[in-house]
Amino acid sequence: MAYHKRPTSSYQPCDTFFVESYEDFPVPRMDPKEHAKLIARERQYAIADELSRITSEEYREDVLSHMLDMDASTLADVESIDIQTEIQWFMRPYLLDFLIEAHTAFQLLPSTLFLTVNLLDRYCSKRVVYKRHYQLVGCAALLIAAKYGDKKDRVPTIRELKSMCCSLYDDDMFIQMEWHVLQTLGWTVGHPTVDTFLQTAVMDTPYDPEVEHLALYIAEISLFHREFVSKPSSDLARASLALSRCILNRPQPRHTEWASQYDSMTLVGLSQQLHQPSQVLARKYSSSHYSRVSKILEQFLARQASIASYSPPSPPSDMVDIEPKPYEGEIGLATPQKAPHPSNMPHGYITPPITPENEAFVNGSNAGYVKTVQVPSACSPSPTPSPSVQQYMTHNPYQQESAYVSQQFLQPQMSFTTGY
């Protein structure tokens, strides 16, 4: 039926027969009691949010202290993973790519992924894991983490996990591995994840989705590298947040805030691992749901590489031979320079030292300038020997030869450069 223009409508009539009029769908009227209940429920939600905010501010330091204690007590031991006989570190990226794809397919919370990797690493640091069971341990860790803190309707089933593993494992193997992981960890599943500390760090700042998503992206990149396995989640959260703010040119927090107390070495280590992220992870964060931060990071790294490869132009040829000006007492980092030497004057140390008896010693207005002094061969550097010594040298041929050598090599005819 055609759409007819209503008296209060500003739209023009439409001639198509696929648009229905609003008169055929009257707005249902709500019962006054139901309307009052709805308003009361919304008011209760507002009161609960306000009480939760007040309580969180009151117990924030206690909660943060407890989280830090749990963070330190539930870390994996990277040295114990090093002594595994079959699984190697180069296998880790393949398993993490599989877990990230499964985590994205089931639309689980970000904390579930970090808790999954933590359970996997803690188990591998306490038990010998065979290569054929490495993926099974990862699936069991994902199942435990999803049951622990995610929505119940999104917890993957064993049939779904078996299908993702291409039926490599039976149903009983998933159940047995899940029980074995829990028993190995002493049923201690809880671990404060990186995203939990990120929410604590940005609690008092305005919401900036690009900063939070980029920090989360950097934190997930750290999961692929050995040097961050034993790093506390609090250090990774603060360092990744500071690095994301630096990349996006956002102001850093005040020095009195908890987020500003990041470890500079952890930040530098994270910055060195941004160049070749996992393609699965980059594709995940290239969506609009995560503000396309992987594309933003890729553009930033490209700009940095172009700046690093840029070489400044060489100075003009007519500027190369300009002699440096002498230091005239300007304030700065310049080193005081001496007056330039003439181009036709040799350089060298003063030999012998200039004394006032030398005729070339200059006083007055010409003092301080470089002079060339001819040292005569008749100048004796030592006192004249006594007649008895001369008589002895006359009758001693060896002494005569020594005197000749001394005269030829110790008193050559040459010019020296003097000055200060």
Side-chain angles (χ1 to χ4, degrees):
M1 93 183 32
Y3 175 81
H4 301 285
K5 181 179 179 180
R6 300 181 63 181
T8 59
S9 176
S10 60
Y11 295 98
Q12 299 296 327
C14 182
D15 296 333
T16 180
F17 291 93
F18 297 97
V19 180
E20 298 181 351
S21 62
Y22 289 110
E23 286 83 356
D24 297 337
F25 300 95
V27 179
R29 293 182 177 274
M30 184 178 294
D31 185 65
K33 292 183 178 180
E34 294 295 332
H35 186 262
K37 289 182 180 180
L38 181 61
I39 293 177
R41 189 180 299 112
E42 294 296 332
R43 187 176 300 170
Q44 289 177 358
Y45 290 156
I47 294 174
D49 293 340
E50 182 65 19
L51 291 176
S52 178
R53 185 186 62 82
I54 296 174
T55 305
S56 64
E57 291 179 356
E58 182 178 357
Y59 295 101
R60 180 181 302 179
E61 294 186 0
D62 295 338
V63 171
L64 182 60
S65 177
H66 178 66
M67 289 172 59
L68 293 174
D69 293 340
M70 287 186 62
D71 190 16
S73 61
T74 55
L75 286 177
D77 186 11
V78 67
E79 296 181 355
S80 299
I81 303 178
D82 288 337
I83 62 176
Q84 287 282 346
T85 56
E86 289 197 9
I87 60 174
Q88 303 295 329
W89 287 107
F90 73 88
M91 305 176 186
R92 182 182 180 87
Y94 299 99
L95 179 59
L96 289 184
D97 285 342
F98 168 78
L99 293 176
I100 289 173
E101 289 182 340
H103 175 270
T104 306
F106 294 120
Q107 298 180 358
L108 302 175
L109 297 175
S111 58
T112 303
L113 178 61
F114 290 102
L115 182 58
T116 299
V117 179
N118 176 260
L119 295 175
L120 172 66
D121 293 335
R122 285 162 60 190
Y123 179 81
C124 292
S125 61
K126 293 184 178 181
R127 296 286 186 180
V128 176
V129 180
Y130 294 107
K131 182 169 55 177
R132 62 181 181 274
H133 294 156
Y134 197 27
Q135 187 179 17
L136 180 62
V137 176
C139 291
L142 179 64
L143 185 60
I144 295 171
K147 289 181 178 179
Y148 181 80
D150 218 304
K151 298 179 180 180
K152 302 306 177 184
D153 57 341
R154 296 185 179 179
V155 176
T157 62
I158 295 193
R159 180 178 299 178
E160 292 171 338
L161 292 176
K162 179 181 178 181
S163 176
M164 296 191 70
C165 295
C166 301
S167 300
L168 184 62
Y169 311 105
D170 296 333
D171 296 350
D172 295 338
M173 298 180 69
F174 288 95
I175 299 175
Q176 292 177 6
M177 183 57 70
E178 180 185 3
W179 177 84
H180 196 261
V181 170
L182 290 172
Q183 187 183 31
T184 301
L185 301 182
W187 298 84
T188 303
V189 181
H191 170 74
T193 55
V194 175
D195 64 303
T196 307
F197 284 106
L198 279 176
Q199 296 301 321
T200 303
V202 300
M203 187 177 297
D204 297 329
T205 59
Y207 178 63
D208 192 343
E210 287 187 351
V211 170
E212 296 186 18
H213 291 159
L214 183 56
L216 203 62
Y217 178 42
I218 295 173
E220 291 192 21
I221 290 177
S222 68
L223 297 176
F224 287 79
H225 302 282
R226 175 188 177 276
E227 57 266 28
F228 303 112
V229 171
S230 296
K231 282 284 184 181
S233 300
S234 57
D235 292 348
L236 291 174
R238 286 180 290 189
S240 59
L241 182 61
L243 184 57
S244 66
R245 285 172 172 168
C246 180
I247 293 173
L248 297 173
N249 198 18
R250 302 292 199 275
Q252 295 292 339
R254 297 186 298 271
H255 67 280
T256 56
E257 298 181 10
W258 178 79
S260 64
Q261 302 171 6
Y262 57 86
D263 183 18
S264 59
M265 297 302 298
T266 304
L267 188 145
V268 172
L270 288 174
S271 65
Q272 294 174 350
Q273 305 297 340
L274 302 179
H275 298 281
Q276 294 181 345
S278 167
Q279 295 299 320
V280 175
L281 193 60
R283 185 170 62 250
K284 170 186 174 181
Y285 280 91
S286 63
S287 63
S288 59
H289 180 70
Y290 290 104
S291 304
R292 296 184 174 88
V293 291
S294 63
K295 299 295 184 182
I296 296 175
L297 180 59
E298 184 179 354
Q299 295 172 3
F300 173 80
L301 295 176
R303 290 195 303 268
Q304 294 297 316
S306 62
I307 294 174
S309 61
Y310 173 75
S311 58
S314 57
S317 57
D318 55 349
M319 298 292 292
V320 175
D321 298 332
I322 296 180
E323 297 181 357
K325 296 181 179 180
Y327 179 71
E328 298 179 356
E330 296 88 357
I331 300 176
L333 300 178
T335 304
Q337 302 292 333
K338 293 183 181 181
H341 294 278
S343 57
N344 58 352
M345 186 173 296
H347 301 275
Y349 294 99
I350 303 172
T351 307
I354 300 300
T355 58
E357 289 77 12
N358 197 321
E359 296 178 357
F361 185 80
V362 180
N363 288 321
S365 60
N366 294 330
Y369 288 91
V370 179
K371 303 293 289 183
T372 302
V373 181
Q374 297 290 335
V375 181
S377 59
C379 179
S380 57
S382 59
T384 304
S386 58
S388 60
V389 176
Q390 293 180 356
Q391 184 178 5
Y392 172 76
M393 292 176 60
T394 304
H395 298 282
N396 194 335
Y398 177 76
Q399 292 293 338
Q400 292 179 358
E401 182 179 2
S402 298
Y404 174 78
V405 172
S406 176
Q407 181 179 3
Q408 293 295 326
F409 293 96
L410 297 183
Q411 301 179 16
Q413 294 283 346
M414 62 181 300
S415 60
F416 301 95
T417 303
T418 63
Y420 72 96

